Amino acid sequence: MEILQVVTENGKDTFEIMEKLSVKFFMRLLIDIISMIVLLRAVYYPIYRKKEFFLTFCLFNLVIFLITYLLNKNDGLSTGAAFGLFAVFSLLRYRSEDISTRDMTYLFSFIAIGLLSAVGKGTYFETALVNAFVILTAFLLDSNIIVKNECVKSIQYEKIENIKPENSELLLQDLKNRTGLNIHKVMISKIDFTRDTAVVKVYYYDDQSTCTQ
C-alpha cells in the first residue's frame, strides 16, 4: 500500500508539473523569446555591434521568465515580490562591474520583458503589444530618428599641456584631427603627471547609428 501511495503521489506531482507547463506557458515563452530576439538583433546589435553581452541578456531574460512564471503558478507570487526578484537579479551581479549605463539599461529591458511575459495579466496579444512598445521605444530613442546617436570613447592623450582650461579649444581640435570624429565634448577622466599623459573621454555623434568600441 505504501508503494502504491508513493507511486500515486509521484504521478500526481508529475501531473501538476505538466499542468504548469501548459499551452499558456509555451505561448508566453514564445512571446518572450521572440521579443528578446527582436530587441537583441534588430535594436541592440545594429547600434553597438557588441556580442559580449548576448549570453548575459538572453540568460537573464529566460531565468527571470521561468522563475517568475513557475513561482506565480505555484505560490501565487505577488507583483511586488516579482519586482523585488527583478531588482535583485538586475543588481546582484553588476553592482560593481564596469558596465556602461546603456548596456545596463538594455539589461534592465531584457529582464523587464521576461517579467512582463511571465506574469502579465493581459491576453497574449496585449502582452506582445506591451513588449513591442518597449522594443519600439528603445529603437526610437537609441537611433538617429529622434535624436542624434551620441557615442563615447576613452583615449590616452599625451599632450598634457592641452588639458589646461585655457587650451580647451586646442584639445578639442587636436582630438578631432587625430581621430577624424565629430567630437563636440571632451571630459578629462584621469591625469598622470609622472608619465605626462591623461585619459580623456570624447563624446561624438555617429551618423550611422553605430558606436564601435
Side-chain angles (χ1 to χ4, degrees):
M1 293 296 294
E2 291 182 358
I3 295 176
L4 181 60
Q5 183 179 1
V6 170
V7 172
T8 304
E9 289 177 353
N10 289 340
K12 183 180 179 181
D13 292 340
T14 304
F15 177 77
E16 288 179 353
I17 292 174
M18 293 304 297
E19 189 181 28
K20 290 183 177 66
L21 301 181
S22 59
V23 175
K24 179 181 177 182
F25 168 80
F26 289 107
M27 285 298 296
R28 288 188 173 275
L29 179 61
L30 181 63
I31 292 172
D32 177 60
I33 291 176
I34 292 175
S35 302
M36 175 182 64
I37 292 175
V38 172
L39 181 59
L40 188 64
R41 292 294 301 172
V43 180
Y44 178 79
Y45 182 73
I47 294 175
Y48 297 99
R49 299 291 177 182
K50 295 192 298 185
K51 296 182 179 179
E52 59 264 34
F53 292 117
F54 273 31
L55 178 65
T56 301
F57 292 155
C58 293
L59 286 185
F60 262 84
N61 172 273
L62 290 175
V63 167
I64 284 291
F65 174 87
L66 293 173
I67 290 178
T68 52
Y69 183 88
L70 293 177
L71 287 180
N72 185 52
K73 289 287 290 184
N74 194 30
D75 298 320
L77 184 71
S78 67
T79 303
F83 274 99
L85 180 66
F86 164 62
V88 169
F89 269 83
S90 61
L91 298 177
L92 181 63
R93 174 65 181 88
Y94 291 95
R95 65 186 184 276
S96 60
E97 192 77 11
D98 185 15
I99 179 173
S100 69
T101 303
R102 292 194 176 189
D103 288 331
M104 195 67 184
T105 302
Y106 273 98
L107 176 62
F108 183 89
S109 300
F110 279 101
I111 296 175
I113 285 176
L115 182 64
L116 291 170
S117 301
V119 297
K121 299 302 182 182
T123 62
Y124 300 141
F125 176 75
E126 290 171 341
T127 302
L129 194 62
V130 171
N131 289 353
F133 176 75
V134 173
I135 295 170
L136 180 62
T137 302
F139 173 73
L140 292 176
L141 293 178
D142 209 16
S143 64
N144 284 329
I145 296 177
I146 296 180
V147 294
K148 289 184 177 180
N149 191 38
E150 187 180 55
C151 303
V152 183
K153 283 184 182 294
S154 293
I155 297 176
Q156 193 84 18
Y157 190 69
E158 84 286 356
K159 290 187 178 182
I160 200 71
E161 65 277 4
N162 283 351
I163 68 170
K164 296 178 181 179
E166 60 268 23
N167 293 332
S168 58
E169 290 298 327
L170 291 175
L171 174 62
L172 182 62
Q173 191 60 46
D174 187 41
L175 288 170
K176 283 183 178 180
N177 294 336
R178 290 189 179 198
T179 62
L181 299 174
N182 184 25
I183 301 171
H184 64 277
K185 183 172 66 174
V186 179
M187 292 185 62
I188 300 171
S189 300
K190 182 179 179 182
I191 302 174
D192 188 347
F193 286 111
T194 61
R195 298 182 181 180
D196 282 341
T197 60
V199 176
V200 297
K201 284 186 177 181
V202 297
Y203 296 78
Y204 63 97
Y205 295 121
D206 192 329
D207 295 333
Q208 296 181 350
S209 298
T210 56
C211 292
T212 56
Q213 300 298 317

